[in-house]
Amino acid sequence: MDIIYFDKSRYESVLGKREIESLFPLGGGFAHIIVNLSFNEGPGLVFKFNPPNESKFTFHGLDLNTEFKFLSRCANAGYINVPRPIMLDESCSIFPTPFIVLEKIEGDNLDKRIAEERSTEGKKRLISRGIDELIRLHEIDPGEVNFIPRYRNFAEYRMDRLKKLTKDIKVNRLILESVEELQRRFPIEEESRVIHNDFSFYQMIYSKGAIYCLDFDSVCMGDPTWDILWMFKGREEWFGFNDETEFIVNSYEEKSKRTLKNLGFYGLYSCVKAYLITMTVKQAAAEDHPLRSILKYEKMIEEDLKKKISSS
């Protein structure tokens, strides 16, 4: 990360008289630069920066302006629990890239809480809490957030994103077979709702009994099935109990009283995307790549992808 993002004087020029105790990068934020600030008095803040334009690590559209407006609307109307947005700066006069400032929510990422919970029933209770908050997101009236992106066909948009991921890698037989199978499973009908578009339980914070949703730079109108299945990144389980996917899908459908469509398409798509990202990271051969940790799942994702294609 560029040293300029650790220049305390730049933050002080934004914050005025508040005395900064410490600042450090936050985990996650593979595309963004995220810096946590703590103070001698009062709650902490989070600065979230767009990456430099030349960043080769960006995998999806990043829009801090839309995120700021969406968080403001949610915080004011109480649609879902989100960090309170404090300011948006697009001038690039203080830092080289636009940024937003958010309140710091103290707590644990929900996926960490789920993984550390020893009992299966305890894991399921926490997952159910996360699903409740995701359903609240999906039930936001689109007319109240009419500034978020809309696509004529969300599945076509997702296929275009895959094509962009294949531009800079050597395309192998498995990728070609995967794309062919996706075309065979292409949705005939889609539901369109407000979705996160990059969802996982890592994007939620468990704080004082409440759950907060994070990172809405990709928020848009789309198929809610994508939010459910992308959290698995092509794997069948994350939290150590059998039938996780089935449990989450069934819980969502029972709680929302809606049937998720296109499970076959988005289930395969999530696995293909995860595989393409591992190939991109591997072929980039960059030790500083922010997604390098995904390589430990490379073989597992590849095997799951082969399994999904062969079961069609």
Side-chain angles (χ1 to χ4, degrees), residues 1 30-31 36 107 122 142 147 198 249 277 290:
M1 188 185 298
F30 295 126
N36 178 81
F147 49 85
D198 192 27
V249 169
I277 291 174

Side-chain angles (χ1 to χ4, degrees), residues 77-299:
Y79 298 137
I80 54 175
N81 297 323
V82 295
R84 183 171 59 90
I86 296 169
M87 71 173 290
L88 164 70
D89 188 298
E90 297 180 286
S91 69
C92 300
S93 61
I94 304 169
F95 291 96
T97 53
F99 64 89
I100 58 176
V101 184
L102 309 168
E103 70 172 336
K104 176 70 164 64
I105 304 298
E106 299 294 343
D108 294 326
N109 293 96
L110 184 59
D111 69 339
K112 180 175 182 288
R113 290 291 293 263
I114 296 169
E116 291 177 349
E117 173 61 46
R118 293 185 177 182
S119 73
T120 298
E121 288 308 309
K123 291 177 186 290
K124 289 182 176 180
R125 281 193 295 271
L126 288 169
I127 288 171
S128 293
R129 291 285 308 280
I131 290 172
D132 288 340
E133 202 65 18
L134 182 62
I135 290 171
R136 288 179 64 195
L137 168 65
H138 291 168
E139 291 180 345
I140 293 174
D141 181 352
E144 296 298 319
V145 289
N146 57 11
F147 49 85
I148 67 174
R150 287 162 165 76
Y151 302 99
R152 186 180 63 82
N153 185 302
F154 184 71
E156 285 183 1
Y157 156 73
R158 291 253 52 105
M159 291 298 289
D160 286 341
R161 300 306 302 173
L162 277 191
K163 290 176 184 176
K164 290 181 180 179
L165 276 175
T166 61
K167 276 188 176 181
D168 298 322
I169 65 171
K170 296 177 182 176
V171 176
N172 60 29
R173 183 177 180 82
L174 182 57
I175 293 172
L176 293 174
E177 290 177 353
S178 301
V179 172
E180 288 177 5
E181 182 58 31
L182 281 170
Q183 295 292 356
R184 282 194 287 270
R185 299 186 190 188
F186 197 83
I188 298 174
E189 180 184 0
E190 285 195 306
E191 183 178 14
S192 184
R193 291 183 174 271
V194 177
I195 66 169
H196 187 282
N197 199 23
D198 192 27
F199 180 74
S200 73
F201 287 134
Y202 184 84
Q203 310 280 24
M204 290 181 160
I205 295 288
Y206 187 91
S207 176
K208 299 177 182 177
I211 292 177
Y212 291 78
C213 294
L214 311 175
D215 293 337
F216 285 97
D217 51 86
S218 298
V219 65
C220 68
M221 295 296 298
D223 192 328
T225 308
W226 171 239
D227 270 355
I228 293 291
L229 293 181
W230 175 233
M231 78 170 79
F232 289 96
K233 308 294 187 288
R235 298 174 59 194
E236 290 300 321
E237 63 177 59
W238 277 102
F239 303 116
F241 66 89
N242 294 330
D243 303 319
E244 284 181 27
T245 307
E246 182 180 355
F247 171 75
I248 290 175
V249 169
N250 289 344
S251 296
Y252 182 94
E253 291 184 335
E254 289 170 9
K255 289 170 176 285
S256 67
K257 296 180 172 56
R258 296 191 301 273
T259 300
L260 289 168
K261 301 174 182 178
N262 308 316
L263 290 167
F265 175 79
Y266 285 109
L268 176 59
Y269 183 100
S270 66
C271 199
V272 176
K273 181 181 176 182
Y275 179 70
L276 286 175
I277 291 174
T278 62
M279 292 297 98
T280 302
V281 174
K282 186 176 181 180
Q283 293 179 24
E287 292 297 328
D288 63 337
H289 201 300
L291 286 171
R292 192 163 182 79
S293 61
I294 199 174
L295 292 181
K296 65 184 176 182
Y297 302 116
E298 177 190 356
K299 292 298 181 185

